[in-house]
Amino acid sequence: MIRFFCGISILITAIISIFVSTASAQETCVVAGSNLQIAKDNYATRCDIERADCDPFNGEWICASFSMTSPVPPALTVFQTEPVIEAPVIEEPVTVTPVVVEPVVTEPVVTEPVVTEPVVVATGLCVDSAPVGDGWGWDGTKSCRLPIASVPVGAGPVPGPCVDSAPVGDGWGWDGTKSCRLTIVSEPAIAEPVAAEPVNESTPPAGQPILNSKIAAGITDLILITGQSNVLGAGTAYNPSLDDPSDQVFAFTSDGWQIASLKQIWDRNWFPRNHPNTDPNNNLALHFGKSATARDSSRVIGFIVASNPGADISHWNYQSSFYNAVKSKALDAINQLPHKSEVDGILWHQGESDGEDKQYYSDALYSLISNLRNEPWVNDRAPFICGETKIRAVNNRLNGLNRDSDPTTACVAGEDLSTRGDDRHFDAPALRTLGARYAEAYLNIRP
């Protein structure tokens, strides 16, 4: 394993030395920066490729047109570029003397007509790499589901066509292990036109994939929400009128950034769903976002949920497996927002698995705050806000954030709220209230 990572380090260093100053516009590009935003800016300036995977490496941030650190699909950042309109070149007219050519008479060639069956093919086919069957592609602005499908002979091996969104013509796809060139193929249309209501492309329906990264670019406040099962809100009720989406609140979902809806997958399989055919569970994250934007209409909230139900605070120890999982998820979310390079705030709801008034909990909590704020992807003054549990002993430790000298930490009340009947897990009304309390505390710290 050490030999592998050493090899990766040598490889990346060699690649950077070759490509940091020059880049092949159609193949690969690698640039570096002292922080994530500078690296993104350098990439957008120097590289004529619209996708990048950005990762920290040896004290710097590296942005590349391919994944450098793992065999899984990279977190793709789409850099929006304005088209360059060149001024017309006015040339002096040139007088040309016409040449008279005698007509040539040839016998007509008669050929038998060739009858072919019409073939309906995809709007884009991966043709330069073998499929791996993971069922995902890239249509130029977002990931899209690829059903396995048969294709015409000679089209090359493909995992299937992008069928859930229109192509944008950038000519790139994802075959499950690497980017691949897409050949745009015309598709015979044999269908009657259907009248449809006009679509407002700037605001897609809640739960639908974002078709344009400029929509997610409106996010002003990027929030990481982590903790135990109350972060998920499992087993709670859903009310369509009280829990409806807002076009100013975005969630990082299993399908990337979308307008937040409780009917999406934010974390751990189907949560906040129990099953796709049932009403979803409730969640404080949605109500934090809705309350924050209701209080300040200039805000657009984007949140990342990373929970660990039933886990004590030691699971968030620095460089633990779960700490690194939170970091990986946050970086994936940030990489898909070209204008953001760090998390603006952190909401913490944990303590039921510790449940004691012990110094170790306070020590671990302040270590977590320090560790996160020292991450290059977290603002070093990001508000860190916790919420009370139903256990008074651990609440005494959590409320230490209201008694310390740090004006960017706080703890909101929760002990007074109702539960599902187990005196541990909050019910839906409590989660709505808790989300609003978190929002009020956040805006007090970061007005």
Side-chain angles (χ1 to χ4, degrees):
M1 183 63 70
I2 294 175
R3 181 179 301 172
F4 171 77
F5 282 110
C6 288
I8 289 293
S9 174
I10 294 170
L11 175 61
I12 292 176
T13 303
I15 292 173
I16 293 171
S17 65
I18 295 172
F19 291 106
V20 71
S21 58
T22 62
S24 171
Q26 298 302 322
E27 296 179 0
T28 152
C29 189
V30 182
V31 298
S34 58
N35 61 47
L36 178 55
Q37 191 59 58
I38 291 175
K40 284 184 176 183
D41 292 343
N42 289 343
Y43 188 95
T45 300
R46 303 179 190 178
C47 302
D48 189 23
I49 305 175
E50 290 190 348
R51 299 160 333 283
D53 175 38
C54 302
D55 296 287
F57 181 73
N58 281 353
E60 287 189 305
W61 280 88
I62 308 299
C63 286
S65 57
F66 56 90
S67 177
M68 300 175 294
T69 60
S70 69
V72 300
L76 298 178
T77 298
V78 177
F79 294 94
Q80 296 293 333
T81 56
E82 296 296 328
V84 177
I85 302 176
E86 297 183 358
V89 178
I90 301 175
E91 297 181 353
E92 292 296 326
V94 178
T95 303
V96 179
T97 303
V99 177
V100 178
V101 179
E102 292 295 328
V104 178
V105 179
T106 59
E107 293 295 324
V109 178
V110 179
T111 59
E112 293 295 324
V114 178
V115 180
T116 59
E117 294 293 326
V119 179
V120 178
V121 297
T123 54
L125 300 176
C126 289
V127 297
D128 71 345
S129 61
V132 295
D134 73 337
W136 285 94
W138 180 257
D139 81 340
T141 57
K142 68 178 185 69
S143 295
C144 57
R145 175 64 69 182
L146 300 177
I148 304 302
S150 60
V151 296
V153 176
V158 299
C162 287
V163 297
D164 70 347
S165 62
V168 297
D170 75 336
W172 284 93
W174 178 256
D175 80 340
T177 56
K178 66 185 181 69
S179 294
C180 58
R181 175 67 68 183
L182 295 178
T183 300
I184 304 302
V185 182
S186 61
E187 178 177 346
I190 311 174
E192 294 295 325
V194 179
E197 294 294 326
V199 177
N200 181 359
E201 294 185 355
S202 64
T203 307
Q208 296 301 311
I210 294 173
L211 303 182
N212 189 330
S213 63
K214 288 184 178 179
I215 298 174
I219 292 175
T220 60
D221 297 74
L222 188 58
I223 310 298
L224 173 64
I225 304 176
T226 187
Q228 291 186 236
S229 52
N230 276 318
V231 169
L232 289 177
T236 51
Y238 170 73
N239 184 315
S241 62
L242 296 177
D243 307 322
D244 58 320
S246 163
D247 60 8
Q248 288 182 263
V249 182
F250 288 81
F252 186 63
T253 76
S254 59
D255 293 320
W257 283 105
Q258 297 180 351
I259 292 177
S261 167
L262 292 176
K263 297 181 179 182
Q264 299 158 338
I265 305 172
W266 298 345
D267 193 33
R268 301 182 66 85
N269 300 322
W270 278 107
F271 286 107
R273 302 298 301 278
N274 277 329
H275 187 276
N277 297 324
T278 66
D279 281 342
N281 293 292
N282 229 291
N283 192 284
L284 67 87
L286 175 67
H287 298 289
F288 164 80
K290 291 178 65 175
S291 182
T293 55
R295 290 170 180 270
D296 184 351
S297 60
S298 68
R299 306 290 183 116
V300 177
I301 301 295
F303 58 77
I304 307 158
V305 175
S307 62
N308 197 349
D312 60 59
I313 196 170
S314 66
H315 283 71
W316 283 261
N317 285 349
Y318 186 61
Q319 298 291 38
S320 66
S321 60
F322 186 68
Y323 182 96
N324 288 333
V326 173
K327 176 180 177 179
S328 177
K329 186 171 186 177
L331 283 173
D332 190 12
I334 294 170
N335 272 347
Q336 296 185 34
L337 296 175
H339 70 298
K340 298 295 286 186
S341 60
E342 59 188 14
V343 167
D344 300 302
I346 302 165
L347 307 187
W348 169 256
H349 208 96
Q350 189 276 341
E352 292 88 351
S353 291
D354 295 281
E356 295 180 313
D357 188 355
K358 298 289 187 179
Q359 183 61 38
Y360 83 87
Y361 190 89
S362 294
D363 293 342
L365 184 60
Y366 279 102
S367 292
L368 175 62
I369 296 171
S370 176
N371 291 335
L372 287 174
R373 285 179 172 171
N374 284 328
E375 292 285 357
W377 48 272
V378 178
N379 187 300
D380 59 4
R381 299 293 292 168
F384 187 99
I385 304 169
C386 73
E388 286 184 341
T389 70
K390 295 294 290 185
I391 305 173
R392 181 163 299 177
V394 76
N395 288 346
N396 185 46
R397 293 292 166 178
L398 291 167
N399 275 293
L401 299 187
N402 290 330
R403 301 188 293 265
D404 61 21
S405 59
D406 186 347
T408 62
T409 61
C411 188
V412 301
E415 192 174 339
D416 61 317
L417 299 177
S418 54
T419 69
R420 299 181 319 189
D422 57 5
D423 206 32
R424 286 291 183 273
H425 296 94
F426 294 112
D427 59 15
L431 291 174
R432 296 185 190 107
T433 300
L434 201 56
R437 290 176 179 178
Y438 271 112
E440 181 179 12
Y442 176 78
L443 292 180
N444 285 340
I445 297 174
R446 194 182 177 98

